[in-house]
Amino acid sequence: MRLRTIQLILWALALAASLAYGLLIWWPENQKTTAETQFTARFELTDHQGITRTQADFTGRWMLVFFGFSNCPDVCPTTLAEVAAVMDGLGPDAAEVAPLFISIDPERDTPEALAEYVPLFGAGITGLTGTTQQIEQTGQGFHIFYEKIEEAAAPGGYTMGHSSQLFLFDPSAVYAKSWQYGTPAEEILADLKEQMEQW
Amino acid sequence: MKTCYFRPLALCAVLLLTATPGFAGAEDVRVTDPWARASIGVNRPGAAYLTLHNTGQDDVTLTGVTTPLALRPEIHLTSTNAEGISSMRRAGDITIAAGESVSLEPGGLHTMLMQLQTPMQEGESFPLTFEFSDGGTVTADVPVLGLAARGPLE
């Protein structure tokens, strides 16, 4: 009888210890993520039709934001094709989502250059570009990275390396989620629908 | 091999060659699922995707690619690091082990088509020739799909 009591106490202690340990590893991690990812989309750029746009033009709608450059043969058209598939998959709810393609290559991506690029994906994507300084500020605001990489045979002699996540901002322009490059459209669509339902 | 005596010499040679273990090369490479996205004019690079299967018994090494479509076609590798930054670099020689395949697909290896000679138009196709270290070549006909295509046609 006494042995059973001791056993019970030991089991209770073990359970309490594992719970405490679980809480310990979960707690700071969770806190950190929340602090790091709480930010609002901010930009003042020119769209592919030559009109000045800020995040205020899109608030009230969800924003799907991708950074890239139109001379990018692989990652950018692949992601924009996925975005187009997501927009198709949304059906009538697509009106509540604004897909944005922000160029990190303002030198080559003039509004005119974007005008012959983004409409071809047929998903109502808005192409945004600006001066080198505007793009720099936008990049800092979104915590993204980009750099020029020498490539003799490419137009202008360079290509770009860049953050390739697809970002989601909620209708009040607050960061909601991001997907790593290569996430299939079906998965993005399911996540996005869930977020929209919970809003 | 007795039957060889009763067959034409050419066929006999073919049988001998294919039956010899260790003989392999570019002619054992098969191409499946070729596709490319349409380009916007000729000023921006294009990309082509496909899978190369080495059906032979020896490793083969892919050393280069040519096409009348572009002056500078090269095999490139896109890689994405832990911070989510994607960049491209020349892939260099690619060895395909006997019986193995190498896929050129979005976000990984691809044929980057630089200095296009003509626009890549949806519905058209172009030849793409892969060169191997044994001097052999394999040519695929690559269909051009829409700019928003997500993969090869079923």
Side-chain angles (χ1 to χ4, degrees), chain A residues 10 49 51 59 73 119:
Chain A
L10 284 174
Q49 289 171 318
I51 301 161
T59 39

Side-chain angles (χ1 to χ4, degrees), chain B residues 4-70:
Chain B
C4 282
Y5 296 110
F6 308 105
R7 307 245 168 158
L9 196 62
L11 180 60
C12 199
V14 167
L15 285 171
L16 275 170
L17 285 173
T18 50
T20 310
F23 181 87
E27 65 258 49
D28 288 323
V29 176
R30 304 281 173 269
V31 175
T32 56
D33 297 331
W35 67 287
R37 291 193 182 96
S39 72
I40 304 146
V42 295
N43 294 326
R44 295 187 179 101
Y49 306 101
L50 43 77
T51 300
L52 296 163
H53 305 269
N54 179 5
T55 63
Q57 294 173 356
D58 275 354
D59 297 356
V60 295
T61 301
L62 174 63
T63 53
V65 59
T66 59
T67 174
L69 183 73

Side-chain angles (χ1 to χ4, degrees), chain A residues 69-75 77-82 84-85 108-109 112-114 116-117 120-122 145 147 149-155 159-165 180-181 184-186, chain B residues 35 37 39-49 72 74 76-90 105-115 146-150:
Chain A
F69 61 114
S70 72
N71 273 281
C72 161
D74 183 40
V75 167
T78 298
T79 302
L80 293 180
E82 298 293 320
R108 292 180 295 192
D109 285 336
E112 297 76 32
L114 291 182
E116 52 176 31
Y117 183 69
L120 295 172
F121 291 91
F145 171 86
E147 62 174 348
I149 298 167
E150 218 173 290
E151 174 57 76
T159 179
M160 305 291 297
H162 59 97
S163 299
S164 54
Q165 303 94 327
Q180 283 301 317
Y181 167 71
E186 292 72 19
Chain B
W35 67 287
R37 291 193 182 96
S39 72
I40 304 146
V42 295
N43 294 326
R44 295 187 179 101
Y49 306 101
R72 286 287 297 273
E74 286 175 3
H76 279 220
L77 176 69
T78 297
S79 50
T80 303
N81 69 12
E83 283 78 49
I85 297 155
S86 296
S87 55
M88 283 188 305
R89 59 180 167 82
R90 247 163 264 155
E105 56 192 6
L109 289 166
H110 57 274
T111 306
M112 182 152 165
L113 304 165
M114 292 179 285
Q115 298 176 15
L147 187 63
R150 296 172 64 205

Side-chain angles (χ1 to χ4, degrees), chain B residues 113-136:
Chain B
L113 304 165
M114 292 179 285
Q115 298 176 15
L116 291 176
Q117 297 302 288
T118 52
M120 296 163 73
Q121 278 171 350
E122 188 175 353
E124 293 183 355
S125 67
F126 62 93
L128 195 57
T129 302
F130 293 93
E131 296 168 337
F132 293 87
S133 58
D134 66 351

